[in-house]
Amino acid sequence: MTNNLKDKVIIITGAARGIGYAIAEAFAAEQAKVVIIDIMSDAVNSAVSAIKSIGGKAYGYTGNVTDSSGIEAIFADVVTQHGAIDCLVNNAGITRDNLLLRMKEEEWQLVMDINLKGSFICTQKVFKHMMKARKGSIINIASVVGLMGNAGQANYAASKGGLIAFTKSCAKEFAGRNIRVNAVAPGFIETEMTASLSAEVRADYANVIPLNKMGSPMDVANLCLFLAGDASAYITGQTMAVDGGLTMQ
């Protein structure tokens, strides 16, 4: 079975760069209509232009996932312009790392707002459109940190762990409407942030991964393609780690 993503309308939050952009580019390569939402307008325009330059169909919106009315307006416009929303990828997320005893309430709350509340808002707003169509796929980008925890990231781990539980609850609520909800939990992925790490630190990371290497953003994107398409029609409520075996039990 093929994924059959041609002309499907895919919304990806936080997609102007990093893993989000890789996901957008991967969907564009499958001839899907990619809708990029990000808080940085210049970055949105650059991402859309980059995808169009390789022959993809891309559309950009500047928006904040914590802005309920703004997200609702964007989703309504997408449906007006394209007729449907077939898949939502809740990718927007931030970190504000600190040891718990030093963590400011603002650092805790901001991470919760973007990573968890933002996914709640986007999911709630997209469900209204998918419910009418009686189909859809929602993919939440979690993290292995949400499965195993990490010192210095209590806020991030809590937000991603909450996102995994949120995924399961939504999967149960939405199944009757033929809407699937799954989570992807990336491990150590090669990004701009990890590229700045020293060779020694990168080697230390690789040593704890059974496959002995860090992943690429395309490793995450490829799983998103699968979860958005027809080939995963009987999969919902699952959390799939893309981590080279790091979280094996």
Side-chain angles (χ1 to χ4, degrees):
M1 179 182 289
T2 62
N3 271 342
N4 190 29
L5 294 170
K6 183 178 181 180
D7 291 328
K8 298 294 186 182
V9 180
I10 316 294
I11 293 180
I12 308 157
T13 66
R17 60 183 181 180
I19 290 175
Y21 177 76
I23 295 170
E25 194 174 55
F27 275 107
E30 294 293 322
Q31 301 180 62
K33 295 179 180 178
V34 176
V35 179
I36 292 172
I37 300 176
D38 206 294
I39 198 168
M40 304 172 292
S41 58
D42 290 345
V44 168
N45 293 335
S46 296
V48 169
S49 296
I51 290 176
K52 287 183 175 179
S53 72
I54 57 174
K57 302 171 185 175
Y59 312 87
Y61 293 86
T62 302
N64 188 324
V65 294
T66 66
D67 177 5
S68 182
S69 59
I71 290 297
E72 186 169 32
I74 289 172
F75 286 6
D77 190 64
V78 170
V79 172
T80 298
Q81 297 297 324
H82 305 290
I85 299 171
D86 297 293
C87 176
L88 166 67
V89 181
N90 282 314
N91 170 74
I94 63 168
T95 59
R96 291 293 184 273
D97 297 349
N98 212 337
L99 294 174
L100 185 65
L101 289 176
R102 298 175 183 172
M103 187 174 291
K104 299 176 182 178
E105 288 187 26
E106 292 82 3
E107 292 173 327
W108 173 275
Q109 194 59 53
L110 185 60
V111 169
M112 289 296 174
D113 284 346
I114 301 296
N115 298 5
L116 193 53
K117 180 182 176 182
S119 295
F120 155 70
I121 288 172
C122 291
T123 300
Q124 186 182 64
K125 301 309 179 185
V126 84
F127 178 63
K128 296 177 181 179
H129 299 288
M130 290 182 173
M131 180 176 61
K132 294 176 183 177
R134 299 190 69 86
K135 63 178 182 177
S137 175
I138 299 170
I139 303 168
N140 296 320
I141 305 300
S143 169
V144 294
V145 173
L147 296 170
M148 57 191 284
N150 198 31
Q153 290 191 305
N155 49 1
Y156 186 73
S159 71
K160 294 301 187 178
L163 187 58
I164 290 168
F166 176 74
T167 296
K168 295 176 182 179
S169 296
C170 290
K172 290 182 176 181
E173 284 192 29
F174 300 173
R177 298 283 183 171
N178 195 34
I179 299 167
R180 299 179 296 108
V181 190
N182 292 288
V184 173
F188 294 117
I189 304 297
E190 296 273 13
T191 62
E192 290 181 11
M193 181 177 68
T194 57
S196 64
L197 298 174
S198 69
E200 182 180 2
V201 170
R202 290 163 62 85
D204 288 342
Y205 281 150
N207 285 337
V208 300
I209 301 170
L211 286 181
N212 201 231
K213 62 180 181 179
M214 298 176 73
S216 75
M218 278 306 302
D219 291 322
V220 180
N222 286 333
L223 181 53
C224 291
L225 293 179
F226 171 69
L227 291 174
D230 296 340
S232 61
Y234 199 53
I235 298 175
T236 195
Q238 303 304 305
T239 300
M240 301 184 184
V242 184
D243 66 356
L246 179 64
T247 54
M248 273 193 288
Q249 299 296 324

